[in-house]
Amino acid sequence: MQKRSFGTTKDGKEVFLFSLENKNGVKVEVTNFGANLVNVFVPGKDGKVEDVVLGFDDVAGYEVNPSFFGAVIAPSANRIGGASFELNDETYTLKKNNGENNLHSDEELGAHKRVWDVTENEDSVTFTLKNADGELGFPGNKEFKVTYSLDDENGLKIAYEASSDKDTIINPTNHSYFNLKGHKEGTIEDHKITLLASNYTPADEASIPYGDIVSVEGTPMDLRQELVIGEKIDSDFDQLNFAVGYDHNWVTDNCNGEVRKIAIVKAPGDVRVMEVYTDLPGVQFYAGNFIDPQTGKDGASYAKRSGLCLETQCYPDSIHKPNFPSVVYGPTKAYKSTTIYKFV
């Protein structure tokens, strides 16, 4: 574990970058500003080490961060239809920041733009954040914990814990964008992807699921067999037309509460390969269709499809869909989940 300054926020708080490195030369760096994942350096089969996540050089970039690079999203990832919900006969109103809907809780005041408390361990770092009852519109005094660790099998583990003194919505995720060629190396359309998911949740033009769980069979959403992302991403298919490409929730196979493999991504020539493991029921595969042109780390130019996200989570708008897994947690039910990004 190493620690260095990552700059000073607009309101004068110094924040830090924490580094984890294993015996294989994989190095992960995270910051207590937003618990954001900043850098992931991975050696390739060509002998070159590349940083494979999009991001910024200092905290000033993350204070803007319109695409949520590296972000821990909390209390609730993805979309909530109508930016409101009912729970225990009470109606709660959220910020409308995605048309008439709520996206990622709050783009300016959410967890990814807060300074978290830090506990440094020998081989991991834990970030802790508290949200007051009613903050961002969500009920309950809540505490979130996110622990990053790196093992010698090149597994970057993100462990989430959360508790609340009232029933509330808890559905966090990590919104990192990966480009396994290197974060400066252009589009991810030449990457190959496999999603171990036989079903997905079709959504309307605002990306709110209809509530159906539908087979991927016979559609461009079938990624069970390895596929080059660019091969079908622009297919004339209503779901892809709505989202300008892949930006959907897949229902991961064999969800039984245990951590299991749900995805594989490969750079061209298999120079770097990433496997994704989780105990969660869903994953949002987002191909970066709406990344606005911007300057990132090392002066890199980021644009449409410069990186892809595999956001492990519960399904979008689950609070309004009784047949979706519940996202309600509270005094008698704490939240806990694990996701691993493993470089093989």
Side-chain angles (χ1 to χ4, degrees):
M1 171 67 68
Q2 296 181 343
K3 169 185 173 182
R4 68 179 187 274
S5 179
F6 197 52
T8 303
T9 64
K10 289 180 289 187
D11 58 0
K13 295 179 182 176
E14 186 178 15
V15 296
F16 297 92
L17 200 64
F18 301 85
S19 300
L20 299 165
E21 187 168 2
N22 70 8
K23 66 181 183 181
N24 305 316
V26 174
K27 184 177 180 180
V28 172
E29 297 189 308
V30 293
T31 176
N32 60 316
F33 183 81
N36 290 310
L37 178 59
V38 176
N39 302 309
V40 180
F41 297 97
V42 181
K45 294 180 174 64
D46 57 1
K48 297 179 181 178
V49 177
E50 295 286 354
D51 183 358
V52 299
V53 293
L54 277 58
F56 303 102
D57 289 322
D58 55 31
V59 70
Y62 289 94
E63 288 186 291
V64 182
N65 198 9
S67 299
F68 299 89
F69 294 150
V72 166
I73 307 294
S76 181
N78 220 306
R79 292 165 177 85
I80 296 175
S84 68
F85 62 94
E86 290 188 8
L87 188 57
N88 299 336
D89 300 319
E90 294 284 340
T91 299
Y92 297 94
T93 301
L94 310 175
K95 183 177 182 180
K96 290 184 178 180
N97 60 1
N98 190 241
E100 292 297 304
N101 308 308
N102 177 263
L103 174 65
H104 297 328
S105 302
D106 193 302
E107 75 280 12
E108 294 301 330
L109 302 174
H112 67 297
K113 291 191 177 179
R114 298 278 302 276
V115 177
W116 294 52
D117 293 332
V118 185
T119 302
E120 298 176 59
N121 306 300
E122 183 177 350
D123 56 1
S124 66
V125 58
T126 298
F127 299 119
T128 304
L129 179 69
K130 294 183 179 180
N131 278 180
D133 185 18
E135 191 170 348
L136 307 183
F138 295 89
N141 293 296
K142 299 169 289 297
E143 182 177 83
F144 299 93
K145 289 187 177 182
V146 176
T147 299
Y148 289 94
S149 59
L150 176 66
D151 64 29
D152 282 331
E153 283 70 51
N154 302 340
L156 167 58
K157 179 179 177 181
I158 309 176
Y160 303 85
E161 297 178 70
S163 59
S164 175
D165 63 0
K166 289 183 181 178
D167 284 346
T168 192
I169 293 176
I170 297 177
N171 186 25
T173 195
N174 184 279
H175 207 293
S176 288
Y177 291 73
F178 294 91
N179 186 322
L180 298 183
K181 295 179 296 186
H183 77 100
K184 298 184 285 188
E185 298 304 319
T187 180
I188 48 77
E189 292 180 39
D190 55 3
H191 285 47
K192 292 176 284 189
I193 190 166
T194 307
L195 287 185
L196 304 179
S198 302
N199 299 281
Y200 77 112
T201 54
D204 64 19
E205 293 178 76
S207 295
I208 302 297
Y210 298 118
D212 306 318
I213 295 174
V214 174
S215 172
V216 299
E217 185 77 35
T219 77
M221 313 303 281
D222 190 349
L223 304 177
R224 291 172 294 179
Q225 300 297 318
E226 183 175 277
L227 182 75
V228 175
I229 291 171
E231 185 174 328
K232 294 186 178 181
I233 193 170
D234 293 316
S235 299
D236 186 14
F237 181 69
D238 63 345
Q239 290 296 300
L240 298 179
N241 292 335
F242 289 165
V244 197
Y246 294 118
D247 186 11
H248 298 79
N249 171 68
W250 271 259
V251 176
T252 54
D253 291 343
N254 303 316
C255 183
N256 61 3
E258 300 296 321
V259 174
R260 78 280 183 220
K261 187 192 299 185
I262 59 134
I264 307 165
V265 181
K266 298 178 179 179
D270 298 352
V271 66
R272 289 178 193 82
V273 177
M274 181 176 76
E275 299 175 342
V276 184
Y277 297 76
T278 191
D279 51 11
L280 291 167
V283 61
Q284 187 86 7
F285 167 38
Y286 172 45
N289 310 310
F290 298 102
I291 300 174
D292 290 328
Q294 58 195 283
T295 301
K297 293 182 287 191
D298 306 320
S301 295
Y302 300 150
K304 180 180 179 180
R305 298 179 183 163
S306 290
L308 65 87
C309 303
L310 289 166
E311 305 160 63
T312 57
Q313 57 193 254
C314 198
Y315 311 160
D317 202 36
S318 285
I319 193 66
H320 293 133
K321 308 293 192 292
N323 59 316
F324 284 4
S326 176
V327 290
V328 176
Y329 295 84
T332 62
K333 185 184 179 185
Y335 179 91
K336 190 173 184 179
S337 74
T338 297
T339 292
I340 301 168
Y341 298 99
K342 184 177 181 179
F343 302 93
V344 298

